[in-house]
Amino acid sequence: MADKKDHVSPPTITQVITQLLDRGAIGVVVTVMRGPAIGSKLLIDEENIVAGSLGNTELDALVKTPAAEFLKSHHETRMFSVSDFAPDFPLASERLLLFERLQPAPRLVVCGAGHVGAALAKLGSFLGYQITLIDDRAEFLEDGRFPEEQIKTVVADDWQKAVRDAIGNGRGVSVAVVTRGHNEDERCMQAVVRANPDYAGLIGSKRRTSIVIDRLSESGATEEQLKKIHAPIGLDIGAISPEEVALAIIAEIVAARHGAAGGSLSARRRKF
């Protein structure tokens, strides 16, 4: 008698979502809010891998294009009528779909645990970021200074390795280099430009940051990599104290994450 093969059920959409987030990828969950198969869900990741269904294989295929466009945007959620992208589909105007972005929890890697770095780590954790705070001086990373659960401290024997390990695949990661000098800045930035995080910023005057960027260029960093560096880091709010500087930095990081310009809201009103 032939052996029976074990039947392996396909993973549920919940399991696929967990796997997606664990590997640091992004995706969109599409839910039928009105029309046939209400409540049905389809998950599409950035590589066009699909799990679930909207109850119609043709609709599953048609929704991939707006899903890809949605992922390129910075929207967290958006409602679509099927008529918005497939007007000839049966009952298109009666079908309403909710698009919801899936992405890892935002992470912030802070290089340098001096006054600005410490303030930035604490402010970032308050805003919901998972923080990795790196310094080569163990006394600056004593447990009593950072009791917050969201702040992980790393004593760097090798700046480049510590930064590279902290960034990982770079997805959902912002990096702020706020060390005490050119040499530390450069070692950190050597790792940062090659890891390609979502955001990278370097503290310092225009002259100081230009020196570091020139050295990165000399060591082989491409023009495209260098253009992504926010230097000097932060929005111009006239910051003076370490806490104010940290506020300027985190404001720019949040703006970049949401695709915003970071300008004054009241300036928009004055244009009209």
Side-chain angles (χ1 to χ4, degrees):
M1 190 172 102
D3 292 336
K4 291 183 179 179
K5 292 184 179 180
D6 292 336
H7 175 71
V8 179
S9 299
T12 65
I13 192 168
T14 302
Q15 291 171 328
V16 176
I17 289 173
T18 300
Q19 293 167 4
L20 179 146
L21 295 176
D22 284 346
R23 69 175 190 266
I26 62 173
V28 54
V29 174
V30 184
T31 305
V32 178
M33 303 300 290
R34 189 180 69 199
I38 189 168
S40 298
K41 294 180 182 293
L42 178 70
L43 169 65
I44 305 173
D45 73 6
E46 57 196 326
E47 296 176 355
N48 242 358
I49 296 174
V50 173
S53 175
L54 300 176
N56 182 292
T57 55
E58 184 181 356
L59 183 58
D60 291 346
L62 288 170
V63 83
K64 288 183 178 181
T65 298
E69 294 173 355
F70 176 81
L71 286 177
K72 291 177 183 177
S73 75
H74 291 270
H75 295 297
E76 296 291 332
T77 62
R78 187 175 174 186
M79 197 76 76
F80 285 92
S81 168
V82 173
S83 61
D84 293 334
F85 58 88
D88 296 329
F89 189 78
L91 303 175
S93 61
E94 298 179 18
R95 298 174 186 259
L96 200 60
L97 306 178
L98 175 65
F99 285 50
E100 298 175 281
R101 177 180 295 274
L102 283 175
Q103 59 188 13
R107 296 196 294 120
L108 173 59
V109 177
V110 181
C111 304
H115 295 303
V116 172
L120 180 58
K122 289 178 177 292
L123 183 54
S125 69
F126 177 75
L127 293 178
Y129 284 77
Q130 296 297 315
I131 310 296
T132 302
L133 179 60
I134 306 172
D135 206 293
D136 59 353
R137 301 164 293 180
E139 64 273 19
F140 279 68
L141 298 173
E142 293 176 352
D143 292 341
R145 293 191 69 198
F146 305 101
E148 295 86 354
E149 291 184 3
Q150 299 95 329
I151 300 178
K152 174 186 176 183
T153 58
V154 175
V155 179
D157 295 322
D158 179 328
W159 276 106
Q160 289 192 45
K161 183 179 185 305
V163 173
R164 187 170 58 248
D165 290 347
I167 295 174
N169 67 10
R171 184 58 54 78
V173 180
S174 300
V175 184
V177 177
V178 292
T179 74
R180 63 187 182 277
H182 294 308
N183 292 332
E184 290 79 12
D185 287 346
E186 185 179 349
R187 288 198 288 271
C188 291
M189 292 303 301
Q190 289 285 359
V192 170
V193 295
R194 288 162 177 80
N196 194 31
D198 289 349
Y199 170 97
L202 173 63
I203 200 170
S205 64
K206 184 176 180 180
R207 177 181 176 277
R208 171 177 166 174
T209 56
S210 294
I211 290 172
V212 174
I213 290 174
D214 287 344
R215 289 178 179 174
L216 291 172
S217 178
E218 292 167 2
S219 68
T222 67
E223 188 67 24
E224 187 65 28
Q225 289 172 327
L226 297 178
K227 283 181 179 179
K228 294 180 180 180
I229 301 171
H230 295 255
I233 194 172
L235 299 182
D236 183 3
I237 61 171
I240 297 175
S241 70
E243 292 76 16
E244 290 174 343
V245 174
L247 177 61
I249 294 171
I250 200 68
E252 183 174 64
I253 289 172
V254 171
R257 180 169 176 247
H258 294 295
S264 170
L265 292 175
S266 64
R268 299 179 189 177
R269 178 181 58 81
R270 295 191 188 104
K271 290 181 180 179
F272 298 100

